[in-house]
Amino acid sequence: MAAPREKTDGTPAGSEIRPIKHRRDTASSDGQVAAATGHTVVLVDQTDDILKKSAKSIEDSLKRVTKKMFADKPEAASQFITKTLSNFSTSTDPAAVVHSTDLVVEAIIENLEVKRELFKRLDKFAPEHTIFASNTSSLAITDIANSTTRQDRFGGLHFFNPVPMMKLMEVIKTPMTSQTTFDSLMDFSKALGKTPVSCKDTPGFIVNRLLVPYLMESVRLHERGHASKEDIDVAMKLGAGYPMGPFELLDYVGLDTSKYIMDGWYQMEPENPLFAPCELLNKLVAEKKLGKKTGEGFYKYR
Ligand SMILES: NC(=O)c1ccc[n+]([C@@H]2O[C@H](COP(=O)([O-])OP(=O)(O)OC[C@H]3O[C@@H](n4cnc5c(N)ncnc54)[C@H](O)[C@@H]3O)[C@@H](O)[C@H]2O)c1
């Protein structure tokens, strides 16, 4: 969970960054971009160990960003890194952090009850004006917002991985989100250097509603023995111009996160064939092969 506070300058986010080799949790990437654009960010996670790893991955990522941004100016690069890191701190205590936070961006596990539990708790400690946003990829923002007493100050901010590189932000307005809150979320997205699009609170919003069924259809094509995963990946990159093949993308996103999305949609619409459970995906998740983050998914990374 990243909790950005007041904007202090408009330094553009590292749009030049190359795709990171090992995907890290979404919250630390969101936090990196917010800190790099001059926001004060407190990254909250469950343990100091996880936070140490996140801080290290942010530093590594910033080094890569600045190598390109300031190719012949090592001093400017190191100043940018120092300034970004000075905007950034970590905590394992969300209740202690939220009392001085203007905006909470939640990016924890894709589970409705866990998200509701967190927001219900934060709602008690956050000041009146604080806006809550969820980065959920597939859950209804309304269902999460209903765990709080600030439905008018609650919306969706859906980032895309790798966050420093991807320009899009989906901004979600529920029927209860106030226009002021929505405008603040749009302004915040622009301040991060993103291009915001708005979408109603519908499952998967725009991108995932189109993308996830395509990813699952790729797995089913492979399961039927019609083509190898390698050939499907090559075909979609060279034939459709996609930067990653569907199996590479699934490994990058995380197979557990993809399964959470599919399970949720299947529960909602069990008769929809696009949302039917995917055996191979479920098998890999049961084997803890979650993609890049665990070193193996459809492919091996170790
Ligand atoms: N994976 C993607 O490409 C992607 C893209 C956009 C949005 N999202 C969304 O972001 C969220 C996180 O997805 P992810 O793939 O980064 O998951 P992840 O499992 O990689 O990371 C989740 C992080 O949340 C932490 N966490 C879990 N419960 C917590 C709690 N109660 N309090 C504080 N921290 C907690 C975990 O320790 C972990 O570091 C999901 O809602 C997902 O839909 C994911």
Side-chain angles (χ1 to χ4, degrees):
M1 181 177 66
R5 294 201 306 237
E6 80 265 6
K7 187 177 184 305
T8 54
D9 74 22
T11 319
S15 55
E16 298 292 307
I17 192 177
R18 281 167 293 143
I20 43 181
K21 292 222 172 62
H22 303 285
R23 195 191 75 73
R24 54 211 172 101
D25 64 290
T26 310
S28 68
S29 314
D30 300 354
Q32 176 186 329
V33 172
T37 48
H39 300 80
T40 305
V41 175
V42 186
L43 182 69
V44 180
D45 210 309
Q46 299 182 107
T47 66
D48 284 323
D49 229 37
I50 299 174
L51 287 167
K52 247 187 227 157
K53 282 187 193 137
S54 296
K56 168 86 173 61
S57 73
I58 287 175
E59 248 188 276
D60 291 347
S61 171
L62 282 170
K63 281 181 192 152
R64 282 194 302 270
V65 173
T66 49
K67 239 188 198 167
K68 275 214 152 183
M69 270 172 92
F70 306 99
D72 303 318
K73 298 176 190 143
E75 215 164 274
S78 104
Q79 266 174 16
F80 181 82
I81 293 175
T82 308
K83 189 156 186 288
T84 300
L85 293 178
S86 73
N87 288 336
F88 180 83
S89 59
T90 60
S91 171
T92 53
D93 187 353
V97 167
V98 80
H99 71 86
S100 58
T101 300
D102 297 324
L103 171 65
V104 173
V105 181
E106 166 275 316
I108 66 168
I109 185 170
E110 188 73 336
N111 177 297
L112 180 61
E113 274 325 304
V114 181
K115 286 187 193 288
R116 281 175 58 91
E117 203 46 54
L118 175 68
F119 276 119
K120 190 173 160 193
R121 183 155 171 252
L122 292 181
D123 195 34
K124 293 193 186 116
F125 295 96
E128 273 300 298
H129 76 278
T130 303
I131 293 177
F132 286 179
S134 175
N135 190 6
T136 178
S137 302
S138 65
L139 302 169
I141 301 292
T142 306
D143 290 344
I144 309 172
N146 281 345
S147 64
T148 72
T149 56
R150 61 182 78 215
Q151 288 99 331
D152 58 322
R153 281 150 287 150
F154 205 117
L157 268 186
H158 189 219
F159 291 73
F160 291 82
N161 271 309
V163 180
M165 192 171 85
M166 299 298 275
K167 282 289 185 195
L168 184 69
M169 180 86 87
E170 288 175 332
V171 181
I172 315 306
K173 190 175 191 280
T174 77
M176 286 113 47
T177 310
S178 72
Q179 191 59 39
T180 313
T181 299
F182 177 72
D183 292 344
S184 299
L185 294 177
M186 292 293 277
D187 288 346
F188 176 67
S189 306
K190 288 177 201 160
L192 297 190
K194 304 296 177 200
T195 302
V197 293
S198 70
C199 183
K200 285 194 177 160
D201 190 19
T202 55
F205 316 127
I206 301 173
V207 173
N208 280 338
R209 182 61 183 79
L210 299 175
L211 184 64
V212 176
Y214 146 74
L215 294 175
M216 292 306 128
E217 202 46 29
S218 311
V219 180
R220 291 188 193 108
L221 183 77
H222 170 54
E223 271 181 319
R224 290 196 297 271
H226 291 175
S228 69
K229 54 184 188 295
E230 290 81 4
D231 280 354
I232 296 172
D233 276 348
V234 169
M236 294 313 290
K237 284 189 284 187
L238 301 189
Y242 288 7
M244 286 171 127
F247 294 93
E248 293 168 334
L249 184 55
L250 278 162
D251 276 356
Y252 185 73
V253 166
L255 303 193
D256 52 343
T257 299
S258 307
K259 178 172 155 48
Y260 285 132
I261 295 174
M262 285 305 289
D263 289 352
W265 290 357
Y266 177 65
Q267 245 179 9
M268 240 167 25
E269 284 183 41
E271 69 293 342
N272 188 337
L274 291 177
F275 302 160
C278 187
E279 230 174 86
L280 182 53
L281 177 75
N282 291 348
K283 177 176 172 288
L284 290 170
V285 172
E287 291 167 358
K288 304 255 180 303
K289 293 175 182 163
L290 307 182
K292 283 198 163 179
K293 63 181 162 187
T294 55
E296 185 172 349
F298 286 103
Y299 295 111
K300 285 191 176 145
Y301 301 89
R302 285 191 270 251

